[in-house]
Amino acid sequence: MTDLIRISEIFGPTIQGEGALIGQPTVFVRTGGCDYRCAWCDSLHAVDADYRETWAPMAPARVMAEVARLSGDRPIMVTLSGGNPAIQPLGPLIAAGHARGYRFALETQGSIARDWFSDLDMLVLSPKPPSSGMVVDWAGFEACRDAARGARSVLKIVVFDEADYLWARQVAERYPDLPLYLQPGNHTPPPPDDDGAVVDQGGLDARMRWLVDRVVGDGWFSATVLPQLHVTLWGNQRGV
Ligand code: SF4
């Protein structure tokens, strides 16, 4: 029997709002469950066990059918997000989608390596900085990087403050071969049951300007600094 995937939500097409694929049309497949609990998580509805009953166990064929319905059966980039999607058995879904011309990018903190990472088109490794309250297991992180041999791998780091920034610089020095995307963190994430919660856009813009100043001032020219475009456009709204 095929392993079922715990699905929190499937939505789109919309555009990817952050990182290396910013602006690209995509369908999001958000899985339920995470081995982390970051202080500022903006996806608690896909993390908090209180919402477990909203996560539907779905066969890969059913997930693929929903993605195809949303995209009008036209191949598109599929973004696998969470929670931590690496927890889920996504290999068969990726194989089924590739057979129909779909592409797959997966976003993970890099705590759990899976052999099917090598089948991805892009692996976005997003290790969590000190402000998250999490501690990165670098051996696990490197296992993820190594498992994604066939994929294009990139780093994405959320920055809230100076300590996060200095940490990001150390990570970049440690993994010079991984293109790095920085983004200001959202200090007004939505509670899991309120995606209408107001975003402090002025505060986000100020953090973005500070981050640009830090990167440029340090002559850190290999970094790319981007806002969370979807937050700017739609605030904390879900499904966009
Ligand atoms: S790793 Fe991501 S999904 Fe998991 S708790 Fe942290 S921010 Fe939320």
Side-chain angles (χ1 to χ4, degrees):
M1 182 180 153
T2 312
D3 285 340
L4 299 178
I5 305 166
R6 228 165 31 187
I7 297 292
S8 169
E9 55 187 345
I10 302 174
F11 62 90
T14 180
I15 55 167
Q16 171 57 260
E18 56 193 47
L21 299 177
I22 193 167
Q24 285 198 22
T26 187
V27 168
F28 281 87
V29 174
R30 187 185 301 285
T31 60
C34 189
D35 47 319
Y36 274 24
R37 186 64 184 262
C38 301
W40 32 251
C41 179
D42 61 1
S43 307
L44 279 175
H45 62 293
V47 171
D48 194 326
D50 285 351
Y51 291 79
R52 183 183 289 265
E53 74 277 5
T54 68
W55 306 338
M58 292 173 69
R62 226 181 114 207
V63 175
M64 205 51 235
E66 178 61 5
V67 169
R69 185 187 72 76
L70 290 170
S71 74
D73 219 9
R74 293 161 68 180
I76 191 170
M77 176 65 78
V78 179
T79 302
L80 303 168
S81 185
N84 184 1
I87 292 174
Q88 304 297 321
L90 295 174
L93 172 67
I94 295 166
H98 275 163
R100 296 168 62 171
Y102 290 76
R103 291 163 292 134
F104 291 84
L106 180 132
E107 306 193 354
T108 179
Q109 61 266 47
S111 55
I112 299 171
R114 305 298 296 264
D115 54 5
W116 46 259
F117 280 3
S118 62
D119 298 330
L120 290 163
D121 297 277
M122 176 174 280
L123 177 67
V124 181
L125 289 163
S126 186
K128 302 308 177 193
S131 64
S132 69
M134 298 292 113
V135 176
V136 176
D137 166 12
W138 291 109
F141 179 88
E142 287 169 14
C144 289
R145 178 201 58 185
D146 295 346
R149 286 172 305 279
R152 183 181 159 209
S153 296
V154 299
L155 269 172
K156 183 179 73 177
I157 299 180
V158 179
V159 175
F160 281 80
D161 53 26
E162 179 70 14
D164 287 356
Y165 175 78
L166 295 174
W167 186 87
R169 293 219 59 175
Q170 289 173 3
V171 175
E173 275 172 28
R174 191 167 174 163
Y175 304 106
D177 295 337
L178 293 175
L180 173 66
Y181 296 81
L182 297 174
Q183 66 189 40
N186 178 4
H187 54 284
T188 48
D193 52 0
D194 180 14
D195 71 345
V198 173
V199 162
D200 174 17
Q201 188 61 50
L204 282 176
D205 292 347
R207 181 170 292 128
M208 178 72 187
R209 288 191 293 269
W210 165 79
L211 189 51
V212 171
D213 284 348
R214 286 300 274 119
V215 166
V216 172
D218 276 354
W220 188 7
F221 300 146
S222 59
T224 300
V225 188
L226 291 170
Q228 287 184 295
L229 184 56
H230 55 292
V231 175
T232 301
L233 295 174
W234 294 294
N236 281 323
Q237 196 179 320
R238 246 183 248 164
V240 287

